[in-house]
Amino acid sequence: VSSVALALLGSATAHAQILNPLRSGWVNQGGSSSGIPANHNYLVGNYSLQEHRNFFVFDLTGINSVITSASLELYNPSAAVNSGNGYGGDATETYDLTSTTSAPGALLGNFSVPTATAAFATLGTGSLFASVTTGAASNGTTLVLNFNAAGLAYLNANLGQQVAFGGRVSSLSGTSDQHFFAFSDPTGGNPLIQTPPVNLVLQQGAALTPEMPAGVQAIPVLLAVGGMALYQRKKRALQN
């Protein structure tokens, strides 16, 4: 297949979309939480003798295309430009993003101690969607978590609906500070020094609509490839 046909294939089927969360936040093992929904701080790990786990809720309403790849972009603050360093801990720590059995709607409102404690148990403990291992060099950078096959399957099973992910630091040892994303404030509602937004970056294929069943989405690709093959045959015939 020629490069022209591949270019036509890509333009016919792929496009990208960036979503910001309805809410990001944290709960800890003691039943405390990031507080009012306006506070989108997504601290995770051991901080002040408490383990914190974070969560993200996104709305996929209007997304009707197969998601072929996805990544979650999370800024990790730096004391040089923000209120403090996002990372603290050993030489490296590992952050896992997973499924959660907490319903998206349950993570959008205010938490009581019982609801925060219940949510805590479900965050970062489900099917692994993405993971990153890094250290202090991540302060002031954006960590990109690329979704695996399980994460993509979850997104595609919930097109048009709200989705939620949970995260935890899976490398914790003891109770000393070992954390990511301290001082994060993507909405400026804490209030702290506002940090860059949380992004869910989706790469999508052709839209699936009632007028275009799943099998039909391949037609533009077949036309592009078939048309190029016909052109090549005619070109060779003229040269002979």
Side-chain angles (χ1 to χ4, degrees):
V1 180
S2 74
S3 60
V4 175
L6 289 174
L8 288 172
L9 183 156
S11 63
T13 62
H15 61 285
Q17 189 159 349
I18 298 175
L19 302 178
N20 301 124
L22 297 176
R23 188 180 184 189
S24 56
W26 57 260
V27 294
N28 70 24
Q29 65 193 110
S32 296
S33 70
S34 47
I36 60 173
N39 180 0
H40 284 228
N41 177 278
Y42 47 95
L43 168 69
V44 66
N46 283 354
Y47 191 84
S48 297
L49 302 179
Q50 292 278 351
E51 182 186 354
H52 297 66
R53 297 178 181 175
N54 61 11
F55 61 85
F56 305 89
V57 180
F58 289 87
D59 189 357
L60 301 187
T61 298
I63 305 295
N64 62 354
S65 304
V66 174
I67 298 170
T68 57
S69 69
S71 58
L72 185 65
E73 298 179 343
L74 302 176
Y75 178 74
N76 198 36
S78 166
V81 292
N82 307 117
S83 299
N85 286 326
Y87 181 84
D90 299 324
T92 63
E93 301 290 351
T94 298
Y95 171 67
D96 290 343
L97 186 75
T98 76
S99 63
T100 174
T101 55
S102 291
L107 299 173
L108 291 176
N110 292 315
F111 289 97
S112 63
V113 171
T115 58
T117 302
F120 176 87
T122 75
L123 301 177
T125 57
S127 298
L128 183 67
F129 288 169
S131 184
V132 63
T133 298
T134 188
S138 67
N139 288 328
T141 70
T142 295
L143 301 184
V144 178
L145 290 102
N146 295 310
F147 279 53
N148 60 19
L152 292 177
Y154 170 71
L155 293 173
N156 282 307
N158 290 280
L159 296 180
Q161 305 177 61
Q162 292 179 358
V163 294
F165 325 124
R168 71 184 180 101
V169 176
S170 59
S171 56
L172 294 179
S173 176
T175 59
S176 62
D177 281 2
Q178 301 156 72
H179 56 75
F180 292 93
F181 314 125
F183 306 102
S184 57
D185 187 26
T187 61
N190 199 16
L192 297 171
I193 298 175
Q194 187 167 350
T195 54
V198 171
N199 293 324
L200 179 63
V201 182
L202 305 175
Q203 294 289 337
Q204 301 167 257
L208 301 179
T209 68
E211 293 75 27
M212 188 166 73
V216 180
Q217 64 180 310
I219 288 178
V221 177
L222 295 174
L223 289 175
V225 175
M228 183 56 62
L230 179 61
Y231 168 78
Q232 297 286 10
R233 285 198 298 271
K234 287 184 176 180
K235 182 178 179 181
R236 286 194 296 269
L238 291 174
Q239 291 173 340
N240 293 331

